[in-house]
Amino acid sequence: MTTTAQTSDRLRTAIPGPQSAALQRRRERAVASGVPSVLPAAAERGGDGLLVDADGNELIDLASGIAVTSAGNPAPAVADAVAGQASLFTHACFMVTPYEGYVRVCEQLAELTPGEHEKRSALFNSGSEAVENAVKIARHATGRQAVVVFDHAYHGRTNLTMALTAKNMPYKHRFGPFAPEVYRVPMSYPFRDPAGMTGEQAAARATTQMAKHVGADNIAAVLIEPIQGEGGFVVPAPGFLRAVADWCSDNGVLLIADEIQTGFCRTGAWFACEHEDVVPDLVTTAKGMAGGLPLAAVTGHADVMDAVHAGGLGGTYGGNPIACAAALATIETMRTRDLAAAAGRIERAALQRLRALAEGDNGIGEVRGRGAMLAVEFAGADGEPDAERATRVAKACHEAGVIVLTCGTYGNVVRLLPPLVIGEQLLDEGLSVLEHAITA
Ligand SMILES: *Cc1c(COP(=O)(O)O)cnc(C)c1O
């Protein structure tokens, strides 16, 4: 095993250690192999930026379970709220009898999501389910069928959301046929777009295709991640989102912002649309919202949301009371600890170090991101994606006890999603391991 000086005192064994390896053998006999894990260390205990495995190794967590445990793992207030609610009742089904937690989460969503208009929300279990429902609502409210999505988009793994997701492998391969009336247009991807292309020009490229290939009158909604997640942490050029939003409102097309990964303080604001002053018609949320409990939402204009007939939306578990209690405690933690500001501090600390590194490394195409959603894209001088290097860097981090993830259409991006409560010193330690992995 090779470890760096920075983490060796946190590791007791090689990764995976004997306990983790034993669990790995059991899982191979019991768990479907289509559901793999990035790092074969069996999680046993969390902490603010640490994950302790079954062999007592302290892993530095720069992934947050894919942008979920932003407020801590567990956040103490979330652990208390979950235990408290579990002792009262664990399920009622909001469609059978209502309860206050569900209503309070919807009140909070109305207050926190962009825009001052009157809003309504509906709660679900997963991000994919929220996206599916946003599309259902948009189609119903507009009486139109087409949905426009972007290159590199990721919206989930259910049948409709597979159609909305761009990348074939691993998400769609041999899982078709996919849902119809989904149209894909080019995203603003500054690193890969023609040099000097502005956000407005990239938006015109996309909206021209919408108008010419689909027809504005046929489009129910344009669905977009304000900063793309799985597709490579692609931050569109300034002005792109605004111009797309304007085209939508000029053409009676609803704008759905998929803030499942970017929402809840991740990018240094409650929602990433705020950076561009864009107010979407509908917003989908999930990941960072409930401290790891399964909860997702669609929030939008009251008239759009309420267009759907009674009984048209719902689900057995959607807005489960324990998940709602966890969400309320998470939101409270984000407010009192000002985790949006914390994300901004993480951005400043990490970008500076990564950009300095990129200066002297012509295998790094771009360092980018916003708040605590940061990425290094590995590419040659000609932009040729270097997935092999991204994989190697991630693997070296894992061996040294630092959890990082890769992403991107070309698999050549290493991404960082640290919990927003991570201490400065621990973040520094994790970044040093990443630096070492990149320069090695
Ligand atoms: C993760 C993600 C989804 C899907 O959420 P699940 O809870 O995994 O179904 C959808 N959109 C975006 C932007 C995501 O990051």
Side-chain angles (χ1 to χ4, degrees):
M1 178 187 68
T2 57
T3 64
T4 64
Q6 292 91 347
T7 52
S8 52
D9 57 337
R10 296 193 180 277
L11 299 184
R12 294 188 182 167
T13 70
I15 308 286
Q19 298 293 327
S20 290
L23 185 67
Q24 189 66 19
R25 285 191 294 277
R26 280 172 57 197
R27 114 192 253 141
E28 278 161 15
R29 289 192 299 270
V31 181
S33 55
V35 193
S37 304
V38 169
L39 206 154
E44 211 165 71
R45 227 158 12 93
D48 286 358
L50 286 177
L51 207 62
V52 183
D53 77 8
D55 296 286
N57 297 303
E58 290 183 1
L59 309 175
I60 299 177
D61 181 11
L62 302 185
S64 305
I66 320 188
V68 170
T69 52
S70 301
N73 192 16
V78 172
D80 288 349
V82 164
Q85 179 57 47
S87 71
L88 294 175
F89 63 97
T90 53
H91 177 77
C93 186
F94 196 76
M95 299 183 306
V96 178
T97 54
Y99 40 91
E100 195 195 355
Y102 190 116
V103 178
R104 276 179 65 193
V105 168
C106 296
E107 289 169 349
Q108 292 292 309
L109 285 164
E111 195 177 316
L112 294 170
T113 53
E116 301 302 314
H117 50 281
E118 197 174 332
K119 296 170 196 160
R120 304 279 187 270
S121 292
L123 304 183
F124 304 97
N125 304 292
S126 71
S128 303
E129 207 189 341
V131 171
E132 290 240 11
N133 277 279
V135 170
K136 280 166 63 173
I137 294 162
R139 284 179 170 158
H140 190 106
T142 58
R144 302 173 179 181
Q145 292 189 347
V147 180
V148 172
V149 290
F150 290 84
D151 287 340
H152 315 289
Y154 182 84
H155 297 293
R157 294 172 178 270
T158 56
N159 185 265
L160 174 57
T161 59
M162 275 193 294
L164 301 168
T165 289
K167 192 175 176 179
N168 174 54
M169 202 60 166
Y171 308 121
K172 303 165 74 163
H173 186 61
R174 297 176 64 150
F175 293 144
F178 304 112
E181 287 306 308
V182 173
Y183 300 89
R184 195 170 306 284
V185 298
M187 177 66 179
S188 166
Y189 191 158
F191 176 63
R192 298 197 171 275
D193 283 342
M197 179 178 250
T198 65
E200 289 76 11
Q201 288 166 338
R205 179 177 62 180
T207 56
T208 302
Q209 290 197 10
M210 295 180 204
K212 298 300 171 197
H213 296 172
V214 196
D217 293 349
N218 298 317
I219 303 174
V222 169
L223 169 64
I224 188 166
E225 299 157 89
I227 296 175
Q228 289 184 323
E230 308 304 301
F233 281 27
V234 178
V235 185
F240 174 77
L241 207 58
R242 161 93 274 141
V244 170
D246 288 346
W247 185 88
C248 287
S249 69
D250 290 347
N251 288 282
V253 173
L254 298 175
L255 180 70
I256 307 173
D258 183 348
E259 293 246 20
I260 287 168
Q261 192 154 163
T262 50
F264 285 95
C265 298
R266 176 54 53 186
T267 68
W270 278 95
F271 293 94
C273 283
E274 294 170 40
H275 299 296
E276 294 286 324
D277 238 343
V278 162
V279 177
D281 298 292
L282 297 170
V283 184
T284 55
T285 49
K287 289 189 167 87
M289 174 158 58
L293 279 285
L295 188 68
V298 181
T299 302
H301 269 280
D303 52 351
V304 174
M305 295 293 293
D306 285 342
V308 178
H309 52 280
L313 303 174
T316 307
Y317 298 113
N320 167 274
I322 299 175
C324 287
L328 294 168
T330 300
I331 292 167
E332 183 59 24
T333 303
M334 287 177 169
R335 275 189 217 274
T336 53
R337 295 188 64 174
D338 195 358
L339 294 187
R345 284 195 295 278
I346 291 169
E347 172 182 331
R348 285 187 292 280
L351 271 189
Q352 194 189 359
R353 288 183 69 170
L354 295 172
R355 291 222 160 109
L357 204 62
E359 293 279 296
D361 186 336
N362 53 24
I364 295 179
E366 191 177 48
V367 169
R368 60 173 174 262
R370 209 157 217 167
M373 186 169 178
L374 303 166
V376 181
E377 173 157 5
F378 292 96
D382 53 357
E384 185 63 30
D386 191 351
E388 192 269 331
R389 185 151 181 226
T391 307
R392 196 150 31 89
V393 166
K395 188 162 176 284
C397 288
H398 299 164
E399 284 170 357
V402 175
I403 309 175
V404 298
L405 304 172
T406 58
C407 65
T409 296
Y410 315 104
N412 64 327
V413 178
V414 170
R415 59 169 157 169
L416 305 180
L417 290 163
L420 307 180
V421 293
I422 194 169
E424 212 173 308
Q425 209 183 326
L426 198 58
L427 177 65
D428 247 27
E429 206 180 307
L431 289 172
S432 295
V433 170
L434 174 63
E435 271 178 15
H436 189 269
I438 290 174
T439 53

